[in-house]
Amino acid sequence: MPIADSDGTSIYYERHGSGPAILFVHGSGGHHAAWWQQVAALRQEFTVVTVDLRGFGKSDSSMPEFDGQDFPGDVVAVLDQEDLTDAMLVGQSIGSVAALRAGLLRPERVGSVVLGHSLGGISHPELKELAAADRAEAVKLPVIDRLLTKRFQQERADLTFLFQQMGTFNVAKMQDLRNLDTDGPSLDDIRDSGVKVAFLAGEKDAVLSVKTVTRAHELLPGSHLEIVPDAPHSMYWETPAKYNAAVAHLRRTLTAPKEAA
């Protein structure tokens, strides 16, 4: 069983396939197994790494409380353990915050970071205001309606049930990840790191609007923007073919050498 040591905490991860590396970082209701539709589709062309942040899945969950500020170090521990270079980190929702911070901590190992349905905790007054307005609308909906479309829930009751069951394997909860946004990186921090950033958004995301993500892309020179039609916040689960195609495209595209800082 592959385990990485994150400052004394055991972090479970899995490695599949071969080729350029993609490391997935789950959100508040996920863990390594949530990426089953990505691993199966991408491992023929890429090295696919999935990880359980502390308190999630098979990673150490014995601590009395969890600090989201520790999560980037969990990702870094796996990068170091596997000696990955030019990896692309792909975050889902709040997991994108951990992914971006890990990329900035190890730019020599991370070539790019994909912020899935997230602004990555970037510290910028305009973006914080836009994201807060989106959240104010999102909280008016039941949680499941924020993540999956009504149509999917009706047509795929089985996968909707499984999606909800995924979170029952975790000890840590959403509130344990929220302080990841504290003291986030600035646009200059990201630019100076040399790490490429892509924003991956779903057209029907009820948590973070396309308008907000597009504005973040405009404010971060050199960033990439992928908007997937008819896709919700949990695109990786509901529309895996579209999500996988977008991730594969970004992995093939974001391979140019970094500019000298």
Side-chain angles (χ1 to χ4, degrees):
M1 185 170 71
I3 295 291
D5 185 299
S6 176
D7 195 24
T9 298
S10 297
I11 302 301
Y12 178 85
Y13 70 95
E14 294 185 359
R15 178 171 180 161
H16 303 271
S18 61
I22 302 173
L23 188 154
F24 288 100
V25 185
H26 61 78
S28 61
H31 46 71
H32 73 278
W35 303 106
W36 59 283
Q37 297 178 100
Q38 285 63 60
V39 173
L42 299 172
R43 63 186 173 188
Q44 297 302 317
E45 183 178 354
F46 306 104
T47 296
V48 181
V49 180
T50 58
V51 59
D52 288 337
L53 300 173
R54 64 184 63 200
F56 292 81
K58 293 185 176 182
S59 286
D60 188 358
S61 303
S62 62
M63 55 282 292
E65 60 182 7
F66 303 95
D67 185 348
Q69 296 287 325
D70 293 327
F71 294 134
D74 298 344
V75 178
V76 166
V78 175
L79 290 169
D80 290 346
Q81 173 90 1
E82 288 297 308
D83 194 23
L84 297 177
T85 57
D86 190 37
M88 182 173 83
L89 307 185
V90 181
Q92 168 61 23
S93 193
I94 196 72
S96 294
V97 183
L100 180 57
R101 291 197 176 202
L104 298 182
L105 287 169
R106 284 292 189 277
E108 71 277 12
R109 295 198 177 280
V110 177
S112 56
V113 178
V114 177
L115 305 179
H117 309 276
S118 172
L119 301 183
I122 295 172
S123 181
H124 188 279
E126 181 182 351
L127 294 180
K128 286 188 175 182
E129 184 176 334
L130 289 171
D134 288 345
R135 280 196 297 271
E137 291 301 310
V139 297
K140 297 176 183 178
L141 301 172
V143 173
I144 191 63
D145 291 346
R146 302 174 205 170
L147 308 178
L148 302 172
T149 65
K150 285 282 194 181
R151 179 176 178 178
F152 182 81
Q153 294 175 53
Q154 293 166 357
E155 295 181 353
R156 293 308 309 266
D158 53 348
L159 286 181
T160 299
F161 177 72
L162 180 59
F163 177 82
Q164 294 171 304
Q165 291 297 102
M166 281 287 174
T168 65
F169 292 90
N170 303 324
V171 175
K173 304 301 179 186
M174 179 64 183
Q175 57 266 28
D176 297 309
L177 285 80
R178 286 197 183 280
N179 73 330
L180 264 171
D181 276 343
T182 305
D183 298 324
S186 69
L187 297 174
D188 287 342
D189 291 334
I190 298 170
R191 181 200 62 204
D192 294 344
S193 74
V195 173
K196 295 180 180 296
V197 169
F199 295 94
L200 178 58
E203 183 184 33
K204 293 184 177 180
D205 191 337
V207 177
L208 189 67
S209 70
V210 167
K211 178 182 176 181
T212 296
V213 176
T214 300
R215 183 58 181 150
H217 164 61
E218 293 169 350
L219 289 169
L220 184 58
S223 64
H224 295 246
L225 176 64
E226 292 274 338
I227 300 173
V228 179
D230 299 319
H233 189 73
S234 295
M235 183 199 324
Y236 73 100
W237 188 273
E238 180 170 332
T239 57
K242 293 178 180 180
Y243 178 88
N244 296 341
V247 169
H249 169 71
L250 289 169
R251 174 66 265 201
R252 298 183 194 115
T253 303
L254 303 179
T255 54
K258 300 177 187 176
E259 297 180 3

